[in-house]
Amino acid sequence: MTLAFVVVLSLLLPFARAADPKNESPTPAPTSNPASAGPAPAFVIPPAAQAAAGKPFDPIAATDAYLATIPADQRAKSDAYFEGGYWLRLWGFLLSAAISLGLLASGLSVRIRRLAERLTRFRWLQPLVYGACYLVIVTALTFPLTIYEDFYREHAYGLMVEPLGQWLGEQAIGLLVNAVLGGIAVFLLYLMLRKVRGAWWLWAGAGTTLFLLFVVTIAPVFISPLFNRYKVLDDPAVREPILSLARANRIPAENVYVFDESKQSNRISANVSGALGTMRISMTDNLLTRCSPGAVRAVLGHEMGHYVMNHVYKLVLMLGIVFLISFAATAWGFERLRTRFGIESISDPAGLPLIVLLMSSCVFVLTPVINTIIRMHEAEADAFGLNAAREPDGMAEAAIKLAEYRKMKPGPWEEFIFYDHPSGYDRILRSMTWKAENTAH
Ligand SMILES: [Zn+2]
């Protein structure tokens, strides 16, 4: 279940988000009132990517010229960082599988369920007691990998600016959010499992889809502000072109929000999200301080594409199908394995680690499918953004800045399996192709 949240929450997080949402730069961006910091430094377009009258424009040469602006040692470092991420996914999956198997095979899972039965005679409350113990155990056992992956490794690669104390504080908030959302999910899941006989996986698939939709809707207004401060952007020179782009695409936004990402990393990103009154355009202070106005418009054009094309709903529905298939496989495996671990039935909370084990195995195997579904939508948003903002060089600039923590030019299989956004090379090539076709010769 947790994996499901991670997948969908990662979609909500914006343009910049790939395998990891951090950005590389040796010095932290200034934190003092970036909303009025004025225009960011100009970005130099490489000569081969500059269009000139009477000269044919070659998109591939232009893309290569952009790539050549990244120093070789920085390319090697970001490739190593990104490729290391492939292995970390495997280790993360294996660790979580080992924890689930350990809980089941040692009999600890059954003992926790018995404890829950002793603590409360209300059957509906027992899964919550079980879930709380489970959350504590899993969080504690995965913590060494979490702190290595999300803190020490980030610092080792120079991607994070945040001190340990602040990071730990955010982890604690994250744990609380997980406890509340996970508690609701576990409560509803077992309520349903006690009532439904037979095809419970159908209900679980549909329920997960609705629950994700709920999380997606509340996240921008109720979850994101737990981690960052949001301020209304009051500089009209920056705000007005963005609102104009919004009006041109019938996006009902009256304000643009800026949040203080610079206290965590130098990641540039933005977000146009929400529904039913939670709709908002927001962007990181880093986007304003590190990117040219053209790149800001390019990034926001992309984000507006997600909004206009209802990507959140389409993604939740498509991923809902992936979850439905995973739940069906889980139901099949559960019945074959449960007696080995002393689990009475599907509605026995002691079976939670087995459900998690089977679900996460399915999601792990289906990673390329999930990534392809997301990447497809990202490519659509890129096309929309280019047409809406008409800033191909801004788009290329953003792709170059994102390359600080991403491998720019993967092989085709590598991109298919691991990339949830088009690669940097592909994004620049799309931009330069657009530029070639929209430039008068
Ligand atoms: Zn996107």
Side-chain angles (χ1 to χ4, degrees):
M1 300 292 278
T2 324
L3 258 176
F5 298 142
V6 172
V7 168
V8 168
L9 284 176
S10 71
L11 309 181
L12 300 176
L13 306 171
F15 185 92
R17 176 108 189 175
D20 282 292
K22 291 92 188 175
N23 217 328
E24 174 178 7
S25 171
T27 47
T31 46
S32 60
N33 197 14
S36 58
F43 183 80
V44 182
I45 301 173
Q50 286 171 14
K55 201 181 95 190
F57 187 82
D58 178 355
I60 293 177
T63 304
D64 289 337
Y66 263 114
L67 248 62
T69 62
I70 309 172
D73 58 333
Q74 195 196 307
R75 269 287 285 279
K77 195 168 130 191
S78 53
D79 283 7
Y81 171 77
F82 199 75
E83 286 163 9
Y86 305 161
W87 290 100
L88 280 169
R89 287 188 206 195
L90 179 65
W91 306 138
F93 166 68
L94 290 178
L95 176 64
S96 113
I99 293 170
S100 293
L101 275 173
L103 281 170
L104 292 165
S106 67
L108 189 58
S109 188
V110 172
R111 287 212 294 278
I112 297 172
R113 184 246 292 144
R114 288 204 195 111
L115 174 75
E117 285 169 347
R118 277 202 303 278
L119 284 177
T120 173
R121 57 193 178 80
F122 298 113
R123 283 201 71 190
W124 58 270
L125 207 56
Q126 290 162 4
L128 279 180
V129 176
Y130 182 96
C133 298
Y134 178 81
L135 182 69
V136 170
I137 293 171
V138 170
T139 306
L141 292 179
T142 51
F143 191 68
L145 183 65
T146 307
I147 196 168
Y148 163 71
E149 182 176 351
D150 294 346
F151 186 79
Y152 287 109
R153 185 169 183 263
E154 294 301 311
H155 275 276
Y157 276 95
L159 299 177
M160 199 186 239
V161 295
E162 190 168 34
L164 183 62
Q166 186 187 320
W167 182 83
L168 286 172
E170 284 169 8
Q171 294 298 303
I173 300 172
L175 186 62
L176 262 168
V177 173
N178 265 344
V180 172
L181 291 178
I184 298 172
V186 163
F187 173 74
L188 292 175
L189 177 71
Y190 281 93
L191 195 68
M192 181 274 289
L193 288 176
R194 280 208 309 279
K195 302 256 182 274
V196 176
R197 298 271 166 257
W200 64 267
W201 51 273
L202 265 174
W203 291 86
T208 306
T209 309
L210 282 176
F211 190 70
L212 291 177
L213 202 56
F214 165 73
V215 175
V216 163
T217 308
I218 65 162
V221 173
F222 296 103
I223 298 180
S224 309
L226 297 176
F227 297 92
N228 289 94
R229 272 184 51 209
Y230 285 69
K231 281 197 334 198
V232 171
L233 172 63
D234 45 21
D235 180 357
V238 186
R239 186 187 61 211
E240 283 315 309
I242 295 170
L243 287 178
S244 161
L245 196 56
R247 283 193 300 273
N249 293 287
R250 268 212 182 174
I251 295 169
E254 278 154 24
N255 277 311
V256 178
Y257 294 86
V258 181
F259 62 97
D260 54 352
E261 172 73 26
S262 58
K263 70 173 181 172
Q264 287 128 345
S265 76
N266 286 333
R267 156 166 84 117
I268 53 165
S269 65
N271 199 352
V272 179
S273 58
L276 312 170
T278 65
M279 189 274 145
R280 61 174 56 197
I281 299 177
S282 48
M283 60 176 148
T284 61
D285 48 5
N286 296 328
L287 184 66
L288 284 182
T289 50
R290 297 193 58 207
C291 290
S292 70
V296 172
R297 274 169 54 82
V299 169
L300 285 159
H302 168 102
E303 296 306 329
M304 288 178 192
H306 283 312
Y307 181 84
V308 169
M309 292 185 281
N310 294 305
H311 279 173
V312 166
Y313 307 112
K314 290 176 188 167
L315 278 168
V316 167
L317 273 178
M318 285 188 192
L319 292 174
I321 295 168
V322 172
F323 292 133
L324 193 68
I325 294 165
S326 303
F327 272 119
T330 297
W332 184 86
F334 192 93
E335 278 313 305
R336 272 149 196 82
L337 293 169
R338 71 177 171 82
T339 48
R340 271 182 215 202
F341 303 118
I343 300 164
E344 289 162 3
S345 69
I346 185 68
S347 61
D348 177 355
L352 184 63
L354 186 54
I355 297 180
V356 172
L357 174 66
L358 293 167
M359 273 305 281
S360 59
S361 304
C362 290
V363 169
F364 183 73
V365 169
L366 293 172
T367 300
V369 176
I370 295 169
N371 279 343
T372 298
I373 291 173
I374 302 170
R375 198 174 57 246
M376 211 170 78
H377 287 86
E378 293 299 335
E380 274 183 23
D382 278 357
F384 182 98
L386 280 168
N387 287 320
R390 310 183 67 81
E391 297 279 3
D393 291 295
M395 181 82 172
E397 179 192 334
I400 292 286
K401 299 228 158 101
L402 296 175
E404 292 165 353
Y405 58 94
R406 280 187 194 174
K407 188 172 177 180
M408 277 304 263
K409 204 174 174 184
W413 280 100
E414 197 179 2
E415 187 163 5
F416 171 70
I417 296 172
F418 293 111
Y419 277 62
D420 58 7
H421 281 67
S423 68
Y425 177 85
D426 189 44
R427 293 182 114 167
I428 299 176
L429 184 58
R430 284 163 194 267
S431 308
M432 292 303 107
T433 306
W434 188 96
K435 189 173 175 178
E437 299 298 336
N438 286 274
T439 305
H441 299 304

